[in-house]
Amino acid sequence: MILVPAHQTGAGTSVPQSRRLPESPLANVKCRLAAACGIIGVFRARTRATRTAKNMLRETIELHRQGRLEEAEQGYRSVLAANPANGEVLRLLAGLRRQRGDLAEAERLIEAAHSLAPDQPGLIVMLGAVQYEAGKHEESQASYERALALDPNIGGAHTALGHIAFLKDDHKLAEQYFRTALRVGEDPQAYTGLGMVSLGANDAEMAIKYFTRAADLAPNDAGVQFSLGRGFMARGMHAFAEQAFLNALRLRPGLPQAVHALGQLFIETGRGAEGEKQMRSLLNVRGFEMAAEIGVADALRAQQRLDEAVDAYRIVLNRAPGHQAATSVLLWALGQLNRSDEALELVTTQCERYPDHLGWLEQRARMLTSLQRYPEAVVDWQAIVDRDASNVVAKNHLAQLREWLGENEVALALAHEVAETFPGDEQIALLRIRGYLRNGDDAAALELLTQSSFGVLPDTLKRMGSNYLGRIHDRRGEYASAVQSFKDAQTGLTSMMPGLAALPADIQRILAEPSAASIESAPIFLIGVPGSGVEYVAGMLSEQAGVSVLRDRAVGRRNDCFDGRTFERAIEEISSEETETLRSEYFSAARAAGAAAGTTLIDWIPFWDAHLLALVKRVFPGAKIILAERDLRDSLLNWLAFGWIPSAALSDFDAGVDWLVRANRHARHGLGNTAVPHLVVDSMGVLENPATAGADLARFIGVDALQRSEKFGRPHTLGGLDASFESGHWKPYEPILADAFARVLAPDPL
């Protein structure tokens, strides 16, 4: 049996030779021609298919270029369906998906293309860019580093690594990458990066130079224009910044970074309405919602639409409860609106939400301090110190507040601790001086007062130091030096005592007129000259049950018939209608100032003019007057040494002496007149011995007896220091102040 060659019949197949057909030379030729034609047909078909695919790809690329992304994507996917291993189409489709925001698929497509051409660094660079946009900065960094391993001269990779380093706040490394990129070739993004580094170093001038060069190289790059605008903003060149931001938006309409920056510029330059419009356009832009909400709130604040701004900042805090900047500005806005309760509630909420965050606790402590809620503030400051014993700032506040609350020895101990860290702190130095003076250690107080740094204190603190120096001189019997120090302590302070004219004769006639029936709840007026201790009598009376003492005129105006009216008007005829109006205005203002219904009203009038006797008699029949006084020489000395109310400093000693003489005569005018009953009390006697010296005063105001309080006794001021000399302390000062004492005792009439 003969076997047919395998290439003819198929391997392993045998045919008996007796059954073979005879071979025809012609048939063999035809078979070969047919085979050749088949091969040619296949080749032509393949050629036509290749041409069709190429044409289709060209058309798809053109669609992509025109922005017809949906059609272009269909075209790319059709080409890939026929040839899944087409690396170029994988790369193009990846770029399209990146444009459409599908960074995950773009990354997969690039990785597929890279697997087909693992030695092409361009694909790895593209992969790094997509990963960067997706926020996968570690992976992006690794990709760029792989690309540089294949080709260290890829400037774009160095630039990208610089931006990643910048995001990580490693500005030094970022600058190295940017400069390496520029050694490869001028790259606008590298120049932009160097500009950002310069901005981070607060070198706006150099930043503008880098950004300007980047703009020269890439005039149509919206990102570069945006960066240039930031540089101009940092330099305060707002007009140039605005133009750069507008250029960025012209090149890429709606670029959110540029819209936000333009809105900020408008807000900063007082164009709040325009800024609000920009910020509101970003409210629904992905990734910019929070920045837009803050921007809207800032714009409302810039327009002084504070109620709306408060609501807007609350929206921000609903989204991000711990947002420090939004909370701080919201607190400011609430403060401007005098909504302190809401502000305090907000900070308290933050304290509860973040119990480990001492910053919120400190914020509340500061707020309570500013609201003069000192006991509550002390609790917070103490909590901070308990949790952080090294917090010297908290100890500083705690020391001062404990002193305000009269916890003087505790305050002094804290002050010593603070001084170890901050020996030059003026407030703490003054607190320590007060402690030394209180404890009788004049030498230690003098040592602190005479330190060289004490002479450069702010005026307010310097005056306090002068006063303490005067106290030391007084204790040492150095009375001339004490007088000079006390004068220095009041130099430059506000002195706004009203003029006191001579009394017209009509006053006596008016006081002699028949009196009307006493009105219900007729007030009692408390008067007294500077240095008399009248302010301490007012404080003592405010401690009595059933009594309302108004002391608001000492720090401001109440705008009733005793404030802001001409005294001459009081001695003219007043109609019954006007009397009722004046009386109604007075009691309405008194209630607003804190007078409680059903209590005896005592109204301290610091600047008394005897013309007001006519007003009292006619408008407030049944009213009474308490005159708190002491030896005028003691009054003058105490006014000099301890001051009085804020607007009545003894800054001009001679003028003050003359005014004190007139003020005393006005205060004493009308004594003994039954139309307006007076009670003269010895201020110091009543304060030191209320049971006996204050008996007449108790009956006068309608109480059984003056109740003792820890505030009774000789008045004290901050740090427990005396706020008044003992009665008769004027005597050792007579040789120095003889002329002034003689003038205040002169019998000359007004």
Side-chain angles (χ1 to χ4, degrees), residues 117-159:
D119 295 332
Q120 289 190 15
L123 287 171
I124 307 177
V125 170
M126 185 178 180
L127 177 63
V130 170
Q131 291 168 332
Y132 182 89
E133 289 182 31
K136 300 159 70 172
H137 296 150
E138 296 297 332
E139 295 176 44
S140 175
Q141 179 178 338
S143 294
Y144 284 122
E145 289 172 349
R146 284 166 52 204
L148 289 175
L150 293 172
D151 182 359
N153 293 317
I154 304 175
H158 289 290
T159 298

Side-chain angles (χ1 to χ4, degrees), residues 342-569:
E342 291 179 61
L344 191 59
E345 180 182 359
L346 171 62
V347 176
T348 298
T349 298
Q350 297 297 78
C351 289
E352 294 168 353
R353 181 178 284 122
Y354 304 102
D356 296 329
H357 193 297
L358 290 182
W360 292 118
L361 192 59
E362 180 175 333
Q363 182 85 11
R364 186 172 67 181
R366 292 181 183 277
M367 186 175 299
L368 289 167
T369 301
S370 68
L371 294 172
Q372 297 185 359
R373 293 167 62 171
Y374 297 145
E376 296 168 85
V378 163
V379 172
D380 279 353
W381 286 119
Q382 186 64 59
I384 294 171
V385 171
D386 290 343
R387 291 164 61 181
D388 180 10
S390 65
N391 193 325
V392 183
V393 172
K395 288 183 179 180
N396 192 325
H397 285 280
L398 190 58
Q400 295 181 53
L401 288 178
R402 288 202 179 279
E403 187 186 38
W404 270 105
L405 295 175
E407 302 171 23
N408 296 313
E409 294 307 320
V410 175
L412 182 58
L414 284 166
H416 288 322
E417 291 184 37
V418 174
E420 291 178 2
T421 304
F422 299 119
D425 186 287
E426 300 94 347
Q427 293 282 11
I428 289 298
L430 290 170
L431 193 159
R432 294 170 67 202
I433 289 167
R434 288 190 289 271
Y436 291 141
L437 290 174
R438 181 180 64 252
N439 296 330
D441 192 349
D442 294 351
L446 186 60
E447 182 180 356
L448 268 180
L449 279 169
T450 53
Q451 287 179 352
S452 58
S453 60
F454 208 85
V456 295
L457 285 176
D459 286 345
T460 300
L461 301 185
K462 189 182 297 184
R463 293 189 187 102
M464 293 176 70
S466 295
N467 179 267
Y468 301 151
L469 188 58
R471 292 168 184 260
I472 294 174
H473 288 310
D474 176 84
R475 291 183 183 184
R476 294 182 171 186
E478 301 163 353
Y479 299 116
S481 297
V483 166
Q484 186 58 54
S485 292
F486 290 144
K487 287 182 177 180
D488 291 343
Q490 298 207 47
T491 299
L493 290 177
T494 301
S495 183
M496 298 177 63
M497 282 85 76
L500 295 172
L503 292 171
D506 287 346
I507 272 292
Q508 300 299 338
R509 176 183 57 78
I510 294 170
L511 292 177
E513 292 175 354
S515 298
S518 298
I519 63 172
E520 184 180 0
S521 303
I524 300 174
F525 298 104
L526 175 64
I527 63 176
V529 299
S532 66
V534 60
E535 65 271 34
Y536 301 113
V537 173
M540 179 196 68
L541 292 176
S542 69
E543 298 285 319
Q544 308 306 309
V547 176
S548 291
V549 179
L550 300 183
R551 295 179 282 179
D552 56 305
R553 299 184 200 270
V555 292
R557 300 173 67 86
R558 199 185 301 163
N559 290 322
D560 58 11
C561 52
F562 291 92
D563 283 335
R565 305 292 180 96
T566 60
F567 295 138
E568 287 75 10
R569 179 73 186 86

Side-chain angles (χ1 to χ4, degrees), residues 530-689:
S532 66
V534 60
E535 65 271 34
Y536 301 113
V537 173
M540 179 196 68
L541 292 176
S542 69
E543 298 285 319
Q544 308 306 309
V547 176
S548 291
V549 179
L550 300 183
R551 295 179 282 179
D552 56 305
R553 299 184 200 270
V555 292
R557 300 173 67 86
R558 199 185 301 163
N559 290 322
D560 58 11
C561 52
F562 291 92
D563 283 335
R565 305 292 180 96
T566 60
F567 295 138
E568 287 75 10
R569 179 73 186 86
I571 63 174
E572 297 175 2
E573 292 296 328
I574 303 176
S575 67
S576 58
E577 293 80 4
E578 186 176 5
T579 297
E580 288 299 324
T581 298
L582 292 173
R583 190 180 299 158
S584 175
E585 287 178 351
Y586 173 82
F587 283 112
S588 176
R591 286 191 298 271
T599 61
T600 298
L601 172 58
I602 299 178
D603 191 353
W604 174 29
I605 302 183
F607 298 115
W608 179 260
D609 188 303
H611 291 81
L612 292 172
L613 287 169
L615 188 70
V616 171
K617 182 177 187 300
R618 288 171 166 171
V619 180
F620 303 99
K624 299 185 288 187
I625 295 176
I626 300 170
L627 170 60
E629 67 174 13
R630 64 192 304 187
D631 188 300
L632 272 182
R633 291 164 292 189
D634 276 327
S635 291
L636 177 59
L637 180 61
N638 277 275
W639 188 17
L640 174 64
F642 303 104
W644 197 43
I645 63 176
S647 61
L650 190 56
S651 52
D652 184 331
F653 184 77
D654 288 332
V657 170
D658 292 338
W659 188 89
L660 182 64
V661 171
R662 293 195 301 275
N664 182 62
R665 290 172 182 167
H666 272 266
R668 295 186 63 81
H669 191 80
L671 293 181
N673 189 291
T674 57
V676 183
H678 284 66
L679 176 68
V680 180
V681 299
D682 174 10
S683 301
M684 292 301 104
V686 167
L687 291 171
E688 295 174 359
N689 192 355

Side-chain angles (χ1 to χ4, degrees), residues 28-46:
N28 189 36
V29 170
K30 289 181 178 179
C31 286
R32 293 182 178 182
L33 286 172
C37 288
I39 293 169
I40 293 171
V42 170
F43 176 76
R44 288 176 175 170
R46 288 179 177 175

Side-chain angles (χ1 to χ4, degrees), residues 50 82 115 184 190 194-195 214 309 594 600 615 702 714 719:
T50 300
S115 66
V184 176
L194 287 174
T600 298
L615 188 70
R714 188 186 303 176

